[in-house]
Amino acid sequence: MSEFVVSKASNLAKYLELPQKGKVIAEYVWIDGSNGLRTKGRTLDKKPESVDELPEWNFDGSSTEQAPGHDSDVYLRPVAIYDDPFRRGDNIIVLAECWNADGTPNKKNHRYACNKLMEAHKDADTWFGIEQEYTLFDEYGSPYGWPKGGFPGPQGPYYCGVGTGKVYARDVIEAHYRACLYAGINISGINAEVMPSQWEFQVGPSAGIAMGDELWMARYLLERVAEEFGVKVSFHPKPLSEGDWNGAGCHTNVSTAPMREKGGMKDIEAAIEKLSKRHAEHIGVYGEDNDKRLTGKHETASIANFSYGVANRGCSVRIPRPVAKVGYGYFEDRRPASNIDPYLVTGIMVETICGAIPEVDMVKEAVRE
Ligand code: ADP
Ligand code: MN
Ligand code: MN
Ligand code: MN
C-alpha cells in the first residue's frame, strides 16, 4: 500500500508570509454528489462585507457526480463567509449552495429546502447542538495509532482518556479546535470517544440554518487539518463492523423558544410525542448504514423502535437530567448517524415539531435526484 504524501508545513510557511498586494483569496466550499466536500479558490479585489458582494461561480459537475457531461455546469451561490485559518489575513472561506442551470437546486443541495422551513418557523427560534463523532485512520487503513496488524485493549480507558496508549492524535484535534474558533464556528467542545482514535466535537447552540452551515464548515476544517497531518477522517457510523467497538453518531440537541422557558417541559414532551409518530421517516433521513450502528448495544437504541427517557443513553431520545430537574431546556435525539446531512436532520426536526409547509417535504427531499 502506498503512503500518503504529506505536505511539509515548514516549506509552505515562508510563502504564507508573502504580501498579497491588496488581493484576497476566497476558497469556495460545496457539498458534492456523495456527501463529500469540494473546494476551489479564486482571487478577489477586496474583502467582501457580506455574501451579497461575492460573485456567483460555477464548476464542472460531471467530475463530482453532480451533473451529466453534456450539461455539466453547476452554479455556486455563496451563503456564508468564514475567516480562513490556513491563509489568514483578509482571506476567507465561502460556503456555497449548488444550483443547476435550469434554476433548480442541485440534488444534494438540501440547504435550500431546510432554509424554507427555518424561515417559515422563524418565531420558534429553534436552536440545535450537534455532537459530531468521527474516526481517524492511518495511511494503511487501520484506525490511527492502533498496533500494526492488531488491536488495542478493549474499550474502557479511551473515552475522555488521558495518557499514552489511551488517547490518539490529540494534536490533530487541538489544531482543528483552534481552526474552528479562528474561523468563527460556534464550536462548543471536544472529547475523545469510547473507541480509541474516535473523537467528537460539538457545534452549537446554533439557530436555524446556521447549524447546518457551521457543521459542514467544521467538517471541512477537520478534513483540511487532518490532510496536513496525513490522517484520514471517516464519518462512517460503524467504521469497524467486527469486534466490540462503538459506532459514531451525530446526536442532535434541539430546543424551541418555548422549551427554553419556565414550564418548557410540556413543549419538550409534546415534541417527543410528535417524533415518536414519525420514527421510520426520521430514520430515513438520519444517515446511511445507520442500521449497523443502531443495534441496541453500545449506547444506542434499536433502529426498530422509538423510545425516550430521562438520562437514558439507551433510548432514541434522551432528556438530560439537568433539564428534567429544572423543568425546561432541550432534548437530545441520539438516532442521527455521524454521516448525516445536518440540513436534512434539522429540517425534518422543524417540519415535525413546528409543522409542515406546502412547498417542502423533507422525506422526499432526502431522496430527490
Ligand atoms: P452529551 O452529554 O450528550 O455528550 P454534549 O455536551 O456533547 O452532550 O453536547 C450537548 C450539546 O447540546 C452541545 O452542542 C450544546 O451546545 C447543545 N445545547 C445546549 N443547550 C442547548 C439548547 N437549549 N438547545 C439546543 N442545543 C443545546
Ligand atoms: Mn457528547
Ligand atoms: Mn459522544
Ligand atoms: Mn450526546
Side-chain angles (χ1 to χ4, degrees), residues 131 133 159 191-194 199-200 202 249 251 299 313:
E131 305 166 45
E133 294 178 340
Y159 171 73
N191 60 267
E193 268 304 333
V194 177
W199 287 84
E200 168 180 318
Q202 302 98 32
H251 297 166
E299 296 168 57
R313 288 170 196 266

Side-chain angles (χ1 to χ4, degrees), residues 216-235:
W216 274 115
M217 189 46 60
R219 284 176 176 175
Y220 167 72
L221 296 175
L222 179 61
E223 294 273 16
R224 183 68 178 68
V225 165
E227 175 190 312
E228 288 184 13
F229 287 85
V231 174
K232 213 168 170 176
V233 181
S234 167
F235 292 109

Side-chain angles (χ1 to χ4, degrees), residues 70-92:
H70 63 268
D71 187 12
S72 64
D73 278 4
V74 176
Y75 291 87
L76 291 170
R77 290 196 190 152
V79 292
I81 300 176
Y82 302 90
D83 290 331
D84 185 338
F86 308 107
R87 296 191 173 112
R88 308 190 191 184
D90 280 343
N91 302 307
I92 54 172

